[in-house]
Amino acid sequence: MKLGYGNYITAHWLSSFTSVLTRNPRLFTKYDQLTRPQLIKRIEQLEHELNQQSPAVKDKSRRPFDISQYGQRRIALKVAYLGWNYCGFAHLKEKNIPTVEGEIFKALQKCSLITSPEECNYSRGGRTDKGVSGLGQVIALDVRSTQRKLIKEHGDDRDLPYINMINSFLPEDIRILAWAPVATTFNARFDCLSRTYKYFFKKEGQDIERMREAASYMIGSHDFRNFCLLDAARNLQHYTREIISFEINPVEQDFYEVKLKGTGFLWHQVRYIMSVLFLVGQRLEHPAIIQDLLNIDKIPARPDYPLASGIPLMLYDCEIQNIKWIYDISKNSQSSSVQPRLTAPVVTHSHFSQLWDSNAIKGLLYKECMKSVEQIPIVSNNETVSILDYMEQTNDGWSKILLGEGKYINTTKYRRLLERPLSETDAVKKEKYRLKQLKKSIEK
């Protein structure tokens, strides 16, 4: 039960009074003869006297921060994040939906660098979907500065320790890697020349050379509508995107990475590309299927095929010309009292190293569980066999459709992409959307 200030004083006085009586039994003779009403009245008198002697309680409430009293400047931030726990990068209007951008806004407001996301002229280099991570995401915004005026010349790199300030309020799976002074007209989306994605996958017997051949057909400018999710509400006028480079390289042990660079990407484009590459790698489709899907006259809409997992996908880099990234704030901070003992890159590396160690240990625990279960015998056709042998036997006649992240779909009979039903064309989707909006306006 919570006590008010007066009740708290009463309880405190009674406690002290009881302690005094315990140490001085003679005082009992005085108060022992009082009636209950008299005793209560005496306590109220003593409480009143104590209140008169008590100092006034100071108001410890914090005054609202007035950012208008400070100068502002426009900066760019390079952001790294593990997107597994978030519903995408972009901030959503709905409350209690975790996003990377939402966490960044909270951190910026807690360290009083902005008043609100709507008032900082914010822009982002790209959007990433639920579960997708980023290493080279770039955002731009106006923030509080030590300068008294709005800095128009973006060459001055002396200011607040932005990296450490923001990182101190971010969750462990989001970190600011660098900041850069930029012009007041800088826009993280429109000043981004190219974006590079990486997708990590396990080989699992796939033919890497066939996958590389298929990837080569995508280099250049093509209509990628059959490699994306169409959204009529966005009203895109075309689906032509340019792929600058496409590489598939080994990483370690049995793992590979796809490194894909382009000027821009459609919704789910990289994940749909990976889905088809997995089919080619498993020899379920020929590499030339890419050329067929890029031929809109031949295939006007996307065939019905699944979307690859988003967990292995990472926005690796956003290319921006003539930007001076600042990674070490210790030499640029004007206030010696806020200089860290370790430079920002060292702190960030140690942080991610700890996360890697933690997850590597978890991986060993998963593997230990697998090894233990593998020792359990299985009876099949009146014969005792190991789990691995049993799984190999039961896989006969099944096709495993890889989706990345260890996920897959089992099917008894694989149906080639060119034989599958097509989704609705862009024109049909837009017409349906137009009629739906017209119906809403009439009902209003």
Side-chain angles (χ1 to χ4, degrees):
M1 181 178 68
K2 294 184 178 180
L3 297 175
Y5 182 73
N7 291 333
Y8 168 79
I9 295 298
T10 303
H12 176 71
W13 185 90
L14 285 172
S15 176
S16 302
F17 181 64
T18 303
S19 177
V20 172
L21 291 179
T22 303
R23 294 194 304 268
N24 300 275
R26 294 181 179 179
L27 293 178
F28 273 112
T29 58
K30 178 178 179 181
Y31 290 98
D32 194 35
Q33 299 176 1
L34 296 179
T35 63
R36 178 182 176 83
Q38 290 174 332
L39 184 59
I40 293 176
K41 184 177 180 180
R42 179 56 179 159
I43 291 175
E44 291 176 345
Q45 290 175 350
L46 293 173
E47 179 184 335
H48 178 73
E49 294 174 3
L50 186 58
N51 285 337
Q52 295 297 322
Q53 298 174 1
S54 300
V57 178
K58 295 182 179 180
D59 183 11
K60 296 182 179 180
S61 60
R62 186 179 178 183
R63 290 184 299 175
F65 181 76
D66 186 4
I67 200 171
S68 65
Q69 300 299 315
Y70 298 83
Q72 290 192 36
R73 74 178 309 165
R74 187 156 187 78
I75 66 171
L77 296 173
K78 181 180 286 190
V79 187
Y81 55 94
L82 303 171
W84 313 324
N85 298 320
Y86 300 96
C87 296
F89 182 81
H91 178 62
L92 301 175
K93 294 181 180 180
E94 295 84 352
K95 295 182 179 179
N96 301 323
I97 297 181
T99 64
V100 177
E101 211 169 64
E103 294 297 331
I104 294 174
F105 287 150
K106 290 178 187 177
L108 290 166
Q109 289 176 293
K110 286 180 180 178
C111 55
S112 300
L113 289 178
I114 65 171
T115 53
S116 70
E118 295 77 20
E119 299 177 3
C120 63
N121 194 19
Y122 179 84
S123 63
R124 69 177 78 88
R127 300 171 69 102
T128 53
D129 299 321
K130 179 180 179 180
V132 178
S133 300
L135 184 59
Q137 175 71 277
V138 175
I139 61 175
L141 68 165
D142 298 336
V143 297
R144 174 168 62 92
S145 168
T146 56
Q147 309 296 327
R148 294 184 178 181
K149 298 180 180 179
L150 177 66
I151 301 177
K152 296 182 179 180
E153 297 296 330
H154 63 276
D156 189 359
D157 59 6
R158 297 171 299 169
D159 217 311
L160 295 168
Y162 293 117
I163 300 176
N164 280 13
M165 286 178 68
I166 303 171
N167 283 344
S168 63
F169 290 102
L170 286 173
E172 66 175 13
D173 47 10
I174 305 174
R175 281 296 179 270
I176 303 299
L177 298 181
W179 75 280
V182 293
T184 54
T185 56
F186 178 81
N187 186 289
R189 177 187 176 188
F190 299 114
D191 288 321
C192 182
L193 302 179
S194 70
R195 296 159 181 85
T196 301
Y197 282 90
K198 283 190 175 185
Y199 195 100
F200 299 87
F201 67 95
K202 192 175 182 181
K203 185 179 179 181
E204 297 188 88
Q206 296 184 87
D207 190 327
I208 300 300
E209 289 306 317
R210 286 172 61 94
M211 296 175 73
R212 285 172 176 155
E213 179 186 348
S216 67
Y217 297 135
M218 298 190 200
I219 297 177
S221 295
H222 303 282
D223 189 318
F224 282 94
R225 71 181 64 197
N226 291 335
F227 292 92
C228 74
L229 183 63
L230 301 182
D231 183 4
R234 299 187 181 189
N235 194 31
L236 295 181
Q237 299 304 307
H238 67 88
Y239 296 90
T240 301
R241 297 294 184 270
E242 180 184 2
I243 300 298
I244 300 172
S245 63
F246 203 140
E247 304 173 8
I248 304 177
N249 299 313
V251 180
E252 57 182 39
Q253 297 179 353
D254 199 31
F255 288 90
Y256 282 73
E257 70 172 20
V258 165
K259 188 176 182 181
L260 179 59
K261 181 179 181 180
T263 54
F265 292 88
L266 299 165
W267 192 11
H268 292 333
Q269 181 179 341
V270 179
R271 293 170 63 185
Y272 275 117
I273 287 175
M274 288 307 306
S275 182
V276 177
L277 285 185
F278 287 150
L279 295 176
V280 172
Q282 293 178 267
R283 301 177 183 85
L284 296 173
E285 295 286 349
H286 192 274
I289 188 63
I290 300 296
Q291 295 175 308
D292 292 330
L293 292 172
L294 292 175
N295 187 344
I296 306 305
D297 293 331
K298 182 176 182 179
I299 307 178
R302 179 173 54 84
D304 182 22
Y305 64 90
L307 179 67
S309 171
I311 297 297
L313 181 59
M314 168 183 280
L315 175 56
Y316 182 69
D317 183 54
C318 290
E319 180 188 4
I320 298 173
Q321 282 188 340
N322 302 321
I323 190 167
K324 179 184 176 184
W325 290 113
I326 300 170
Y327 296 90
D328 183 356
I329 56 97
S330 62
K331 297 180 180 179
N332 300 305
S333 176
Q334 291 182 332
S335 175
S336 60
S337 62
V338 295
Q339 288 190 13
R341 294 181 180 179
L342 297 175
T343 60
V346 173
V347 173
T348 303
H349 181 274
S350 298
H351 174 76
F352 282 119
S353 177
Q354 291 175 2
L355 293 179
W356 187 90
D357 287 342
S358 174
N359 284 277
I361 294 297
K362 292 177 181 178
L364 291 175
L365 294 177
Y366 286 133
K367 191 171 184 178
E368 195 66 23
C369 292
M370 289 168 51
K371 290 167 60 178
S372 176
V373 175
E374 287 171 5
Q375 305 304 315
I376 302 173
I378 300 293
V379 178
S380 176
N381 298 325
N382 298 321
E383 183 181 358
T384 301
V385 297
S386 69
I387 286 182
L388 297 181
D389 290 338
Y390 176 78
M391 292 172 64
E392 186 175 350
Q393 294 173 8
T394 55
N395 282 337
D396 291 341
W398 288 82
S399 294
K400 181 186 289 186
I401 312 300
L402 299 178
L403 299 177
E405 195 205 347
K407 297 181 178 180
Y408 58 87
I409 299 173
N410 272 331
T411 178
T412 55
K413 185 178 180 181
Y414 177 73
R415 190 176 185 183
R416 293 187 176 275
L417 294 183
L418 296 184
E419 299 172 356
R420 300 185 186 187
L422 304 182
S423 59
E424 294 179 334
T425 64
D426 178 58
V428 171
K429 283 181 174 287
K430 287 179 177 177
E431 179 62 17
K432 284 187 175 182
Y433 179 76
R434 186 188 69 82
L435 293 175
K436 183 179 178 180
Q437 295 301 109
L438 180 62
K439 182 180 180 180
K440 284 184 178 180
S441 62
I442 294 175
E443 290 176 351
K444 288 182 179 180

